Structure formats: structure tokens, C-alpha cells
Amino acid sequence: MAHVEQQKVHPFEHPGEGKRRTKPTPKGRQIDPRASGEIEELLAGKSHRRDMLIEHLHLIQDKWGQISAAHLAALADEMKLSFPEVFEVATFYAHFDVVKEGEPDIPPLTIRVCDSLTCAMLGADTLMKELQNKAGPEVRVVRAPCVGRCDHAPVAEVGHNFIDEATPAKVLAAADEGDTHAHVPDYIEYDSYVAQGGYALLNSLRSGQTSKEDILKALDGASLRGLGGAGFPTGRKWRAVMGEPGPRLMAVNGDEGEPGTFKDRFYLETDPHRFLEGMLIGAHIVDAGEVYIYLRDEYPASREILAREIAKLPPGGPTLHLRRGAGAYICGEESSLLESIEGKRGLPRHKPPYPFQVGLFGLPTLINNVETLWWVRDIVQKGGDWWQSHGRNERHGLRSYSVSGRVKNPGVKLAPAGVTIKELIEEFCDGMADGHQFRAYLPGGASGGILPASMNDIPLDFGTLEKYGCFIGSAAVVVLSDKDDIKGAALNLMKFFEDESCGQCTPCRIGTQKAAALMESHVWNRDLLMELSQTMRDASICGLGQAASNPLTSVIRYFPDEFAPREAAE
């Protein structure tokens, strides 16, 4: 908004005092001159477009470690937006620390401790309590939802530096040494990728040697499906976008926030150009003039890698925009992601229309997950038959399983689609961790349900788990043992959904809250929980509310031993 001008004074009646005049001060929120100058300097030479709001909030957060009310008001003024419009966006995202008027400043260093399921199983609660007791007044210790490093649990974040297999000593040492920046691992850089045949397919497509139809036929022949969780056929999605009138855009979903999932981070931090080439091929196929890569804020190393390597790409092709999430799980839902790219709160859109029809900035938009695009080059060059030749138990293709929990060797496991949990643990993870007996598993992350060890022969793939009330999703597999509390695991997941609900619809906002409260009771009211679950499933706007109760219904259905003995005793 513009600077508030001096207001005219008007007399008003006051009981017992007759007429008096108001104080000669302007109405409305005042802009602090110092804050205004700092924001003006910070944004110098940068776009003031409405969709850059979240990017500019990150600049403030990074520079001052918080976002003061004065800076928030100055930002609104600089971008010609209303203060409430900026305030609602800043307070929606967990990674923006908004300090309201009269509140004390936030300590200069923040330590975040992941408390999602795998980290909780491996000691996050104890880690957090010890850090809170030992950290000094200049350090703030807070909980964090899944940070995408479940194979290194428990994990803490010092500034933007992630401490794997965290202990209080390791975390406090990093804090004392000022080691707060992301550590970028070794990866295949541009020159090495090109030397190995990289971008040959893209160049062939752009030159006309390879046709668009050649690419689409290869994807159709492989039956490649979206690997972000929804599993929509990739070739079919690309054709749908092509069928809409231009101009068209492309958005990449790099916001894998599902607890237990970390495969996209793995691929971005090892072979980023394979993803970039697949992305540029997709953009060329649908004639997208601009591509927006939306990457979760918990992946600072991936962001640094992409920024470096995008700068090395030769000129030509679409304009690439690297956008930074801000700690909102809901933005993994495609329409919420579009809202966030546009600089708004990540609230899911009602459908129809669908994003391929009316997407980013109201234009037809192709949306693909990072791993889906990562596979495009191999599938086209090696052929759909090559992809289909992999698989077990009458399934086809390859899957990247993010495996964490009570196994000896967690990590991203590239395995045949349709592998069972028994095969995955024994052949790809070197068995269960010492001293642990296999008891249960999550086949598809936090929302994919929980199954008992006795159901260890189900192929892990699209369409094989739904009849059991579960789904594969992004293939995030969390393994639980006889040392783990199954009801406690389900409660941990429900609390995650309660925190991450965007709040737009009542069934999800209130349903997750009420479910978590009911699940904290020693004796579950199973009938009420099942009724609540069905309401959330039927009436929630998006997949978060629709699938949030899958873990609790799985526990009720498949783990009767969690109820009968103790309840009978009471």
C-alpha cells in the first residue's frame, strides 16, 4: 500500500466532555523509515511482481533471521500490496518467523529437530530435550516436521546445515563453530554429464531429428506413471496439456514433504542434469515458454546445486525460475503448489478446472514430479521395452523406494516394481537392524497406511495395496519392529497431519485435531474414530484430509492385539 497521508481531523461528541478534537496523527499502519530504507535496498534491482512475495520474504528471513512487523509493513508498501495480504502469507508458512509488534526478537540461531516418525523412533524426543537443556540463550531449539533425511535419523538442522545421526554433542559443536550453511555433496556436474551423452536427446528433439511423437510413444510404451504419489500416466498428461490452447507453462513439483520420502533429494544431489534434461524435454513437448521449479526449503543443498548447474546451461529453451518453498507440506499437492508459486498461501484449489486446463497464472500447465522427469532420458533412449522388462510379481518397471526405520542399511533402493517388503528388507537393506524383529511397515509414507509383518508378500506398486486400505504413493517405506509402539506411530502421523493441514476445509482442519486428541487416550473410541475418518475421507477438499486417517484405520483393522488385552484388563 502507499504511504499513509495525513488525515483531516474531525470533532466528535464524547459523553460529559462536549466536543474535542482527535490527535493530529495519521490513521492506519505507519511505515518505519529505517525499515523502509532497508527493504528498498534489499529489493534493489529485483522484480516487484506479486508472485515474488514469498521469495522476498525469504530474503528478509535470511538476512535478519526473522521478519519484524516493521519489515513486513515496509515490504507491503514496497510491493504495493495491503499489509493483511502480506501478513497472511508470511504467517502461513512455517519457515517464516514473524515477530509481531511488542514481541521479543528471536534468538540469532535456530536448531530444528525433526520429530516425524523415523526420527521419533530413533530418539528425536530425547535429542530435543537435551538440546533445550544445554543450548544457551542465543539459541532457539524447536521441533520440525520431516526434513527428508529419514535414512540418517535422527536429524537436526543448525541454521541450514543438517546434522545426520544427530547427537547433542554433534549439534552443539556445529552451533559453536558457526557451521550453519548447507553442505553440498559431490554430484555429476554439467561437463561430466555432457561427456556421458547428456543432452544429446534434448538436442535431437530441438533439431527435429527426434519428433515429439517419438518421445510420447516411448513414454506410453513404458507406461511411465507420475512418481510423486498420484501415479497418473505421464504420456497421457503431456498429451492433455498439448491439447489446450497456448501459451502454456510448466511447473516441477520438488516439494516431497511426505514423512519417509527422500528419493527426489537423492537424485538432485547426485545426478541433477538427468532431471533437468527430462524437464527441458517436457517443456519442449508442450511448448512451455517458462518453467517454474518449486523446491522444498528443507533442501538447501539441492537448491544450491540447481542454481549452479542451471547457470551452466547453454542459451535457448524456456526461461527457468527456481522457486523456494517455505515449510508447508500441503504445497506438495499440485494446486497448492501453484498457489504458492503465485506468492499466495498454499491452499488447494477446487477442481475442475484442472491444472492442465487452468493452472499457473490461469494458463494450461504441465506439472511433473522430479523423479518422473529424471527417468525420461533413459526410457526414451533405451526404449519402453527396457523399462517394462524390469519388475516382479507380474508388475513392470523400476521404483525408487525410500526405506527408513529398523533396517541395517536404509536409503534409496532402486528395485523392480512389485518387490515385496520381505524382499526389500532382505535383498536391498541387508535385513533388519540388530536386535529388532520385523513387526509392521508403512508401504507409502505417512498417508499410505500401516500393515503388519504377516502381510509381507504384497507387491509394492500402484494398484496392489488399495484393497487393503493402503497405497504406494511415493514409495516411502518405513519399517517398524517389535520395539515400536504401533498406536504411538499412528498418533505421530496424525499429529503431523494436524500441524500441516492448511485449514481451508473443516473436515480436515477439525478432523485431524479431534482424531489426534482421541488417539492420545489409552483406550481408543474405535467407533467414533472410524466415523470421523469416514467424514474426513468423504468431505475434505484434497488428499491430505482424505488420506490422513489411513494409519489409524489400519491400526484398528490389522493390529487387534493393540486393543483387546489392555482394554479387557480395564
Side-chain angles (χ1 to χ4, degrees), residues 331-367:
C331 290
E333 192 275 334
E334 61 178 8
S335 66
S336 302
L337 178 144
L338 297 180
E339 290 288 296
S340 191
I341 292 175
E342 292 179 2
K344 306 172 188 174
R345 293 176 294 166
L347 302 181
R349 298 176 180 177
H350 292 278
K351 303 172 185 177
Y354 296 94
F356 79 90
Q357 300 165 313
V358 180
L360 190 59
F361 307 119
L363 298 176
T365 304
L366 173 64
I367 306 176

Side-chain angles (χ1 to χ4, degrees), residues 20-63:
R20 72 176 186 180
R21 304 177 70 85
T22 59
K23 293 182 180 179
T25 55
K27 296 178 181 179
R29 182 174 298 278
Q30 302 306 296
I31 307 301
D32 179 83
R34 179 178 178 181
S36 180
E38 291 172 338
I39 294 300
E40 184 178 357
E41 181 180 355
L42 188 67
L43 302 190
K46 295 180 173 60
S47 170
H48 285 37
R49 285 180 6 184
R50 172 66 178 78
D51 60 285
M52 294 298 293
L53 175 57
I54 292 174
E55 293 296 305
H56 295 340
L57 288 169
H58 275 301
L59 293 177
I60 298 172
Q61 178 74 40
D62 289 346
K63 184 171 180 62

